[in-house]
Amino acid sequence: MGEIRTEEMLMNIGPQHPSTHGVLRVVVKVDGEIITEADPVVGYLHRGTEKLAEDLQYTQIIPYTDRMDYLSSMVNNHAIVNAVEKAMDLEIPERAEYMRIIVVELNRLVSHLVFLGTYLLDLGAMTPFLYAFADREQVVDFFNRLCGARLTYNYMRVGGVKWDAPEGWLDDVRKFVPYMRSQMDMFHELVTGNEIFLQRVKGIGKFDADTALNYAMSGINLRATGFNWDLRKNKPYSIYDRFDFNVIVGENGDCFDRYMCHMNEILESLKIVEQALEQIPEGPVMGKVPKILRVPAGEYYSAVEGTRGELGVYIVSEGKDKPYRLKFRRPSFVNLQLLPEMLKGQSMANLIAILGAVDIVLGEVDA
């Protein structure tokens, strides 16, 4: 009996596939059920943020960063204001630094909850999605009380933050921390040991640390391979050196390790928030800054640990009130480079598991 003859077929995944939570298109060649080639097509959400910034004063750029990675607006705010403050050598009030850390780590927690819920939904599990979004809603309510927005916060300013915490806000966040810790136990019981889930993610989408480094990957995608690198520890910025927390690393660099890194990083963010709440001093939340911000002429780069990896800001200044050139190092865009290699040789069924675990936000890819 002869071999079954198959032909390669070209298939479009997207540009509106739910697994990507945005508008990514992946053109795949399949031989039967096996992917032989994959080509990500990006740009459907491109808004020209970096070019627009050339005609904006530095404070005016902040709302644009909200829309870059709409799940991590506080982190994006922090990236741009941190870059300008370093370039101008500005001093930030202590209370403002602590407020920043609290909201950034809460935002990291929220982003990871969205990953948890939507990833499990992609794999066919509805219940974890509902629990994850119910918990996310509590943090979104905290942000709404703090800055009047639920998704695009525009909270940080060069020199501090826009508003201090309203009365009772810090106490409510303090009560939320032990509650969220107990919820993580529930998520592990519900998901982590599930036999079907483990079959979908263990050993799938593997790559090693050398490969990740060669592709300039960062964040959880790098740490899941066992490589210990987190800018909050390795190149501390803001006041992260005052907090005791662990850098979560994996072992095998597969989808399961990336899932576990997300889960455990939520606990570390809670640990940082708890310490910040204990240490936060009284005082102003806005430092003394010039009315018109002018970054000294030169080239500057600084980065923060975003929810998806190293979020960098490169500024070229001519000493004016607007940047001559602005470039964001967007981790989702960089991490996407490895996708063709990860998908090659995988079955179509594994494509969804791999795409979701890479944790890409298309607003950040396209910017």
Side-chain angles (χ1 to χ4, degrees), residues 206-218:
K206 286 180 69 171
F207 54 86
D208 60 21
D210 287 340
T211 302
L213 291 169
N214 287 338
Y215 278 86
M217 296 184 89
S218 58

Side-chain angles (χ1 to χ4, degrees), residues 191-265:
V191 177
T192 307
N194 184 282
E195 187 177 339
I196 299 172
F197 171 68
L198 293 176
Q199 287 180 354
R200 293 297 306 274
V201 297
K202 276 224 164 187
I204 304 299
K206 286 180 69 171
F207 54 86
D208 60 21
D210 287 340
T211 302
L213 291 169
N214 287 338
Y215 278 86
M217 296 184 89
S218 58
I220 283 176
N221 285 296
L222 175 60
R223 292 192 290 274
T225 66
F227 193 90
N228 190 322
W229 183 261
D230 187 317
L231 293 178
R232 295 172 296 174
K233 281 280 191 183
N234 297 92
K235 290 188 176 181
Y237 55 94
S238 185
I239 53 172
Y240 274 108
D241 55 352
R242 302 181 189 179
F243 303 115
D244 177 29
F245 65 100
N246 299 313
V247 176
I248 303 299
V249 296
E251 296 177 0
N252 304 308
D254 60 4
C255 292
F256 179 73
D257 276 4
R258 291 192 280 280
Y259 158 81
M260 285 302 297
C261 284
H262 279 92
M263 294 287 280
N264 291 327
E265 277 198 4

Side-chain angles (χ1 to χ4, degrees), residues 115-322:
F115 163 83
L116 171 65
T118 54
Y119 188 45
L120 272 295
L121 191 63
D122 294 340
L123 297 179
M126 183 76 177
T127 305
F129 170 81
L130 299 174
Y131 281 117
F133 268 65
D135 292 334
R136 170 186 177 271
E137 191 70 13
Q138 294 193 49
V139 182
V140 170
D141 283 342
F142 289 147
F143 289 156
N144 194 22
R145 287 167 57 190
L146 182 65
C147 62
R150 296 173 57 81
L151 193 68
T152 51
Y153 306 116
N154 189 23
Y155 177 61
M156 297 194 194
R157 293 292 180 270
V158 176
V161 295
K162 191 174 182 181
W163 289 297
D164 199 352
E167 188 177 348
W169 191 87
L170 294 173
D171 290 333
D172 290 342
V173 173
R174 191 175 284 110
K175 293 173 188 172
F176 171 78
V177 171
Y179 162 79
M180 193 63 227
R181 278 207 185 98
S182 66
Q183 286 297 94
M184 295 312 296
D185 293 335
M186 181 273 295
F187 281 120
H188 279 299
E189 188 176 345
L190 183 65
V191 177
T192 307
N194 184 282
E195 187 177 339
I196 299 172
F197 171 68
L198 293 176
Q199 287 180 354
R200 293 297 306 274
V201 297
K202 276 224 164 187
I204 304 299
K206 286 180 69 171
F207 54 86
D208 60 21
D210 287 340
T211 302
L213 291 169
N214 287 338
Y215 278 86
M217 296 184 89
S218 58
I220 283 176
N221 285 296
L222 175 60
R223 292 192 290 274
T225 66
F227 193 90
N228 190 322
W229 183 261
D230 187 317
L231 293 178
R232 295 172 296 174
K233 281 280 191 183
N234 297 92
K235 290 188 176 181
Y237 55 94
S238 185
I239 53 172
Y240 274 108
D241 55 352
R242 302 181 189 179
F243 303 115
D244 177 29
F245 65 100
N246 299 313
V247 176
I248 303 299
V249 296
E251 296 177 0
N252 304 308
D254 60 4
C255 292
F256 179 73
D257 276 4
R258 291 192 280 280
Y259 158 81
M260 285 302 297
C261 284
H262 279 92
M263 294 287 280
N264 291 327
E265 277 198 4
I266 290 176
L267 295 174
E268 296 306 311
S269 288
L270 289 171
K271 195 186 293 184
I272 294 170
V273 169
E274 194 169 48
Q275 292 172 67
L277 289 168
E278 293 302 317
Q279 297 175 22
I280 187 169
E282 295 295 330
V285 294
M286 194 66 195
K288 293 180 180 178
V289 297
K291 287 188 177 179
I292 303 294
L293 300 170
R294 288 186 173 86
V295 170
E299 298 182 23
Y300 306 91
Y301 179 81
S302 72
V304 300
E305 186 64 37
T307 53
R308 267 149 280 284
E310 180 178 331
L311 176 56
V313 182
Y314 172 63
I315 298 173
V316 180
S317 173
E318 293 184 331
K320 300 178 181 177
D321 61 340
K322 299 170 185 174

